[in-house]
Amino acid sequence: MDTFLQQLANGLTIGSMYALVALGYTMVYGVMRLINFAHGDMVAASAFVGLTIYTQVLGQAVSLGAVIAIFLLSAVVMAAVGVILERIAYRPLREAPRLSAVVSALGASLVIQNGIMLIWGPQMRIFPELVPQVYWDFGGVVISLIQVIILVLSLVLMVALYLFVEKTRMGAAIRASSIDQDAARLMGINVNSVIALIFIIGSSLGAVGGLFIGLYYRGITFNMGWQYGLYAFVAAIIGGIGNIPGAMLGGMLLGLFNAFISGYVSSTWSDAFTFILLIIILIVRPTGILGERVAEKV
Amino acid sequence: MKKLQGFGYPIFFAVLAVLPYVLDSRWQAVAITFLIFTVVALSQDIILGKCGMFNMGQALFFGIGAYTTAILNTHYGWPLLATIPLAILIPAIFGVILAGPIVHLRGDYLLVTTIGFNIVFVQVVQNNLGGITGGPNGIFGIDSMKLFGVGLVSQESVYYLAFAVLLLTLWIMRNLEKSKVGRAMHYLREDQLAAESIGINTRIYKIFAFALGAGIAGLAGTVFAVQYSAVSPEAFDFMQSVLFFSIVIVGGSSVPGVLIGVFVMFVLPEVFREFATWRFFIFGFAMIVSMILRPRGIWPATFGKIPKFLIKGGSHGA
């Protein structure tokens, strides 16, 4: 029972990180029908940007203000990178064949990943200890302060995003653009700024996710983006890609599934089990758990 | 470009035929790799380019072929030549089994599923399932090829084996394009709904494309295993699949395009060794720029005698 509760706590922590990153995928896919393969590498880049802000800008000071500054600055930097990325790599290809944009995204992923390596080096870097190591022991189940922060902050961000998309005018513009860009344009929605907006939101949430990964796992490497990016993408697909609550649900499910596989079976098999789960879900529900049945665009 | 291809191919093949005699052994090895990767990229093109299915797991079939040869040779003592039929058949069977349940998925979902298969495969061989894959280190000590009792130990003979496999692949693809199957695949790619309504069984052709592409990739895997007399999991990981996928799209899903793509991805880095750390950084930019400048690929494929006005722009892929 202890293992169960412990893995439940770990799974929810990992799951909320996946969910945060998955939101970036799902929003971009929802509006542009594009798998933004560079998103995972942006998440990795955010951890390195956070590291540099900590060492260079803040002079390695640790305080609540410093932590908030790291999160805000990283989010701003990554939002800017996201907008530039869309402008350079995706906008010229909006009318091009679908796969051209996919290859462009893969190219962008290589550029960012190897850009991190060229700037920060190929070796593993240790992320600063920004949050004090506080643990609570609930009868054998150990929960750390970092886990609580990750879980609570992720939930707050996700609820805020959900309310933003469902209740505000900009949110309505995003929803309209994801249903039909041309119709949205006819209604006076500036689709270009909607796309810029989803890249800003997606990249900032990814930046927070990347910093969480740094805080939780401590070791960060230039090529870790593929791993987390792919997992988050799987989470988005499991939930039904293009669907915001689906990404949250998918992220949590995937995190729990991963944690239980690692806890009860073996961590060396967790990737294989994750993808077998994905394949089974797609065979049973080809558009994900919360995905709606959509007709193929002809 | 059609004219260029007319006399370009004979010259190209003549150059390839005498190449081993002008290269030293390091460049011979590079040339062999070029031939093998070209075959894999062409097999990827059958599924992705000709049929329009988003497959991003071609290294999986390449790997199954290589591992089939390696396991049969080192564990069961089969001569390499005898492993070839199985190294084609087993990947092809896997192609059918894996593709069967998923070919109806929408493009991007298919893409993720094939990525998934590739990752599952790499974990299976890394974890040494059944104790025959050699785990993370792979399998070493594969024999050299023997033909009619004569050992093909030299690098030149491996080169000509790879060259023969490339010619065979090109011959298959040429026949495919002219055949009923090739036309069916083409219509399937252009418009699945229309293809179905004129009576093409899209499901069968899709699975067939996977089986054929997988079989050819498996054969290339055998040559790969012979060249290095070893196989290891990272040679067939998901990153390799991404490269094959990109080569086909950047090249434009034509034979010259694939040749250019493989040359740029795998041969040029050998020329510019001192920039090794910059390799993927520059490639990433090159991929973006080439897609922006030529969205349909560097050397787009043309098909048969379909009039230009029937081929609408921007319909490549689903």
Side-chain angles (χ1 to χ4, degrees):
Chain A
M1 199 58 195
D2 282 356
T3 324
F4 179 83
L5 289 176
Q6 184 67 60
Q7 294 305 332
L8 187 73
N10 296 349
L12 287 174
T13 314
I14 308 166
S16 52
M17 291 193 273
Y18 288 153
L20 275 183
V21 182
L23 287 168
Y25 276 108
T26 220
M27 286 198 299
V28 169
Y29 193 91
V31 175
M32 298 173 76
R33 297 285 177 270
L34 164 78
I35 307 173
N36 179 14
F37 276 110
H39 189 60
D41 298 291
M42 303 255 299
V43 169
S46 150
F48 283 90
V49 169
L51 178 70
T52 298
I53 291 171
Y54 171 74
T55 52
Q56 304 298 321
V57 181
L58 301 175
Q60 314 206 353
V62 178
S63 64
L64 186 62
V67 175
I68 293 172
I70 288 175
F71 272 82
L72 286 180
L73 284 173
S74 302
V76 169
V77 171
M78 293 328 289
V81 173
V83 171
I84 295 168
L85 174 76
E86 191 272 327
R87 194 75 188 75
I88 293 174
Y90 302 146
R91 194 177 293 184
L93 288 166
R94 249 183 244 165
E95 304 302 320
R98 293 270 319 275
L99 287 181
S100 309
V102 172
V103 169
S104 188
L106 289 169
S109 159
L110 286 179
V111 168
I112 297 172
Q113 188 185 111
N114 290 279
I116 299 173
M117 188 192 75
L118 292 168
I119 297 172
W120 284 282
Q123 71 281 10
M124 179 186 269
R125 304 288 293 267
I126 300 301
F127 201 80
E129 196 182 295
L130 296 175
V131 177
Q133 302 235 3
V134 180
Y135 295 95
W136 295 283
D137 192 328
F138 298 98
V141 181
V142 180
I143 293 171
S144 64
L145 178 61
I146 291 177
Q147 283 181 313
V148 175
I149 291 174
I150 289 175
L151 198 58
V152 171
L153 202 52
S154 303
L155 287 175
V156 168
L157 286 172
M158 286 188 269
V159 170
L161 176 71
Y162 184 75
L163 292 177
F164 173 75
V165 172
E166 291 295 323
K167 304 287 179 206
T168 65
R169 278 178 69 83
M170 281 310 279
I174 293 176
R175 278 179 289 139
S177 307
S178 79
I179 295 168
D180 188 334
Q181 282 192 23
D182 291 326
R185 210 171 276 127
L186 286 176
M187 292 293 118
I189 293 170
N190 184 343
V191 175
N192 275 341
S193 36
V194 167
I195 289 176
L197 179 69
I198 59 172
F199 269 90
I200 289 172
I201 298 174
S203 304
S204 336
L205 291 176
V208 175
L211 295 173
F212 282 165
I213 289 169
L215 283 175
Y216 190 64
Y217 293 107
R218 303 297 304 281
I220 52 176
T221 54
F222 75 99
N223 56 4
M224 70 178 190
W226 260 113
Q227 172 84 16
Y228 294 107
L230 205 57
Y231 266 64
F233 183 60
V234 168
I237 287 199
I238 288 178
I241 196 158
N243 183 317
I244 289 173
M248 304 175 193
L249 179 70
M252 288 298 183
L253 280 180
L254 190 62
L256 288 172
F257 183 75
N258 257 345
F260 285 123
I261 289 292
S262 303
Y264 285 102
V265 187
S266 151
S267 59
T268 56
W269 281 100
S270 68
D271 281 3
F273 278 104
T274 302
F275 280 93
I276 291 169
L277 173 78
L278 168 80
I279 292 160
I280 292 171
I281 287 180
L282 284 184
I283 289 172
V284 180
R285 278 194 68 89
T287 51
I289 296 172
L290 296 186
E292 285 152 36
R293 193 79 216 159
V294 271
E296 182 80 55
K297 260 192 192 170
V298 193
Chain B
M1 278 195 171
K2 207 99 194 167
K3 218 172 202 172
L4 194 66
Q5 287 181 41
F7 63 92
Y9 277 128
I11 294 174
F12 179 68
F13 291 134
V15 169
L16 280 187
V18 296
L19 206 55
Y21 297 103
V22 293
L23 296 177
D24 63 8
S25 67
R26 183 168 94 81
W27 286 101
Q28 277 177 357
V30 173
I32 296 170
T33 310
F34 170 73
L35 293 174
I36 295 172
F37 283 167
T38 305
V39 172
V40 183
L42 288 171
S43 73
Q44 163 83 308
D45 181 41
I46 293 175
I47 304 170
L48 173 65
K50 302 280 173 276
C51 227
M53 287 185 290
F54 295 11
N55 166 26
M56 210 188 261
Q58 194 65 5
L60 158 74
F61 302 120
F62 183 41
I64 293 178
Y67 266 92
T68 302
T69 293
I71 290 168
L72 287 176
N73 182 261
T74 56
H75 289 276
Y76 300 100
W78 286 38
L80 283 177
L81 214 54
T83 68
I84 288 181
L86 278 182
I88 297 171
L89 205 61
I90 291 178
I93 292 170
F94 266 98
V96 173
I97 296 174
L98 299 181
I102 58 160
V103 283
H104 64 280
L105 291 177
R106 280 172 56 212
D108 297 317
Y109 292 79
L110 183 63
L111 188 140
V112 181
T113 319
T114 52
I115 293 175
F117 283 138
N118 201 153
I119 289 172
V120 172
F121 168 73
V122 170
Q123 284 228 315
V124 165
V125 294
Q126 267 177 349
N127 286 307
N128 205 358
L129 190 71
I132 51 172
T133 66
N137 298 323
I139 300 173
F140 293 92
I142 297 167
D143 288 342
S144 56
M145 187 79 90
K146 278 198 181 65
L147 196 63
F148 306 119
V150 185
L152 305 177
V153 275
S154 70
Q155 196 157 233
E156 282 89 354
S157 56
V158 179
Y159 177 89
Y160 284 111
L161 176 71
F163 188 37
V165 170
L166 174 64
L167 289 178
L168 175 74
T169 309
L170 287 173
W171 178 75
I172 291 173
M173 291 190 68
R174 198 182 145 87
N175 280 347
L176 186 69
E177 220 162 279
K178 289 181 169 173
S179 68
K180 186 183 147 197
V181 183
R183 285 200 306 278
M185 283 180 179
H186 182 74
Y187 300 139
L188 172 64
R189 186 191 87 181
E190 292 300 318
D191 192 332
Q192 183 174 338
L193 208 63
E196 256 163 34
S197 62
I198 58 169
I200 294 172
N201 187 337
T202 53
R203 198 178 163 80
I204 295 289
Y205 283 111
K206 283 176 167 183
I207 294 174
F208 173 77
F210 259 100
L212 183 66
I216 294 172
L219 178 60
T222 298
V223 186
F224 187 83
V226 171
Q227 189 200 354
Y228 292 100
S229 52
V231 290
S232 60
E234 68 265 26
F236 312 107
D237 71 4
F238 161 58
M239 201 57 212
Q240 286 287 333
S241 289
V242 169
L243 291 181
F244 290 130
F245 179 91
S246 312
I247 284 170
V248 171
I249 304 298
V250 171
S253 145
S254 64
V255 174
V258 165
L259 288 169
I260 295 170
V262 176
F263 185 82
V264 170
M265 282 288 195
F266 293 107
V267 181
L268 277 191
E270 289 294 321
V271 183
F272 300 106
R273 276 216 156 163
E274 56 269 43
F275 299 112
T277 48
W278 286 79
R279 175 184 171 192
F280 285 113
F281 187 73
I282 295 167
F283 275 156
F285 267 116
M287 278 156 76
I288 298 171
V289 171
S290 69
M291 284 291 95
I292 290 171
L293 297 180
R294 293 188 71 83
R296 294 179 72 88
I298 296 171
W299 196 309
T302 49
F303 183 84
K305 286 183 178 142
I306 296 171
K308 271 263 148 51
F309 64 87
L310 281 181
I311 306 167
K312 55 175 193 231
S315 65
H316 185 95

